[in-house]
Amino acid sequence: MAYNPNQHQVKAKKYLGQHFLKDESVAEKIADTLTLKGYKNVLEIGPGMGVLTKYLLKKDTKTYVIEIDAESVEYLQANYLNLAPRIIEKDFLKYDLNEVFKQEPFAIIGNFPYNISTQIVFKTLEMRDQIPEFSGMFQKEVAQRICSKEGSKVYGILSVLTQAFYDAEYLFTVPPNVFNPPPKVDSGVLRLTRKTDYSIPCDEKFFFKVVKAAFQQRRKTLRNSLKTFNLSDNLKANSIFGKRPEQLSVEAFIELTQLLEKDV
């Protein structure tokens, strides 16, 4: 027998970081953050009881959802019959999405569980060739960090690595009372739009390594925080090494990586 949505509500599970969105207008506003340019497929992460899914299904795209919670999957299968063939009961962080999308582009959207939200961003960066657009809800401070520019106190690893490949926009803030259960903090919705040229002119793995090393000791100058790279005296004399990491733009971090690559 199919579930009646009025009789059966999925219980939010703390260990999965679930906070179900209950405000229809916020759900519709999040769905409308997608520009629908450059892709036909949309993947929603962690749909829960489908409050956002409902608005995605009205759009001229093919919507898929990925959900690790069996109870939520059962609810969606019963209440969104047209979606049933496109419900993926897997862990987004561990699942190979090429099994579904092959090489086709797709956008990502969701009300992301706070406890894995940064890992979702890192997996998106790994798959950026296929993901032209990404939008969704994070803990407000994480959303602000992703979108912040150099000079900001919250500018860090996540800001630089994301903005190397995507343009990041902080769109709007969402209060706790629109969720069940309400989180203890505000949420923030952002959109990432892949850059027209999203290749970087340096070794990508080395770039990630340099950025992470720099921010691990963010109060120190780069001359000190990058000591493990065995800088030559000639390189240490460069004025860029007298700066702290939050003073460097994404472009400056790319230049820094290029300098380190040549310093042999």
Side-chain angles (χ1 to χ4, degrees):
M1 184 196 286
Y3 282 119
N4 179 332
N6 297 319
Q7 291 175 342
H8 177 87
Q9 296 288 304
V10 177
K11 189 175 186 302
K13 296 161 191 69
K14 198 171 181 181
Y15 75 97
L16 290 176
Q18 289 175 329
H19 295 275
F20 293 133
L21 185 61
K22 60 183 184 179
D23 188 307
E24 297 280 338
S25 62
V26 174
E28 186 171 16
K29 201 174 170 186
I30 295 171
D32 287 345
T33 62
L34 291 176
T35 66
L36 312 182
K37 292 175 185 169
Y39 55 88
K40 283 287 181 194
N41 302 307
V42 173
L43 177 66
E44 182 189 357
I45 298 172
M49 287 183 283
V51 64
L52 171 59
T53 319
K54 182 193 312 176
Y55 294 100
L56 296 173
L57 290 170
K58 292 179 181 179
K59 296 190 177 294
D60 185 24
T61 56
K62 198 171 184 181
T63 297
Y64 294 77
V65 299
I66 187 163
E67 176 60 74
I68 198 173
D69 176 28
E71 192 186 3
S72 292
V73 168
E74 208 172 330
Y75 181 92
L76 292 166
Q77 286 170 337
N79 291 289
Y80 294 87
L81 300 178
N82 294 342
L83 179 69
R86 299 188 304 282
I87 298 172
I88 307 160
E89 190 175 354
K90 297 284 182 184
D91 180 344
F92 170 78
L93 296 177
K94 295 176 182 171
Y95 183 60
D96 180 2
L97 291 163
N98 284 323
E99 289 192 21
V100 175
F101 298 111
K102 311 301 180 204
Q103 298 304 310
E104 286 184 35
F106 61 97
I108 283 180
I109 194 167
N111 165 25
F112 305 122
Y114 288 167
N115 54 350
I116 61 163
S117 61
T118 55
Q119 291 163 274
I120 288 171
V121 174
F122 282 124
K123 181 161 179 178
T124 298
L125 296 182
E126 285 171 21
M127 296 193 68
R128 64 186 178 275
D129 285 344
Q130 275 180 271
I131 304 174
E133 191 167 70
F134 172 108
S135 67
M137 186 148 49
F138 292 78
Q139 188 172 329
K140 183 182 178 183
E141 65 176 47
V142 176
Q144 287 176 323
R145 190 180 309 145
I146 291 168
C147 299
S148 66
K149 297 293 183 188
E150 69 273 16
S152 161
K153 284 182 180 175
V154 295
Y155 182 71
I157 294 170
L158 207 52
S159 329
V160 176
L161 298 185
T162 303
Q163 292 174 46
F165 309 106
Y166 289 86
D167 292 321
E169 301 168 83
Y170 186 93
L171 300 175
F172 55 91
T173 300
V174 179
N177 64 333
V178 303
F179 297 94
N180 182 29
K184 293 186 171 69
V185 293
D186 282 346
S187 299
V189 175
L190 60 74
R191 177 171 56 224
L192 305 179
T193 307
R194 191 177 60 197
K195 293 182 176 181
T196 309
D197 179 9
Y198 57 94
S199 59
I200 53 174
C202 59
D203 180 271
E204 183 194 307
K205 284 183 180 172
F206 191 51
F207 173 70
F208 276 54
K209 191 178 172 185
V210 169
V211 173
K212 286 175 180 176
F215 280 105
Q216 270 163 3
Q217 301 182 69
R218 64 180 299 138
R219 293 177 186 279
K220 293 187 175 180
T221 62
L222 295 168
R223 197 170 283 120
N224 289 313
S225 60
L226 299 180
K227 268 182 179 171
T228 54
F229 288 82
N230 298 319
L231 310 175
S232 66
D233 289 341
N234 188 37
L235 197 60
K236 281 183 200 170
N238 189 308
S239 61
I240 198 169
F241 289 95
K243 294 183 175 182
R244 292 192 305 279
E246 71 265 22
Q247 295 175 285
L248 267 64
S249 65
V250 173
E251 292 70 28
F253 264 109
I254 290 170
E255 287 169 25
L256 173 65
T257 306
Q258 291 170 330
L259 286 170
L260 289 164
E261 281 177 327
K262 290 173 189 168
D263 188 43
V264 287

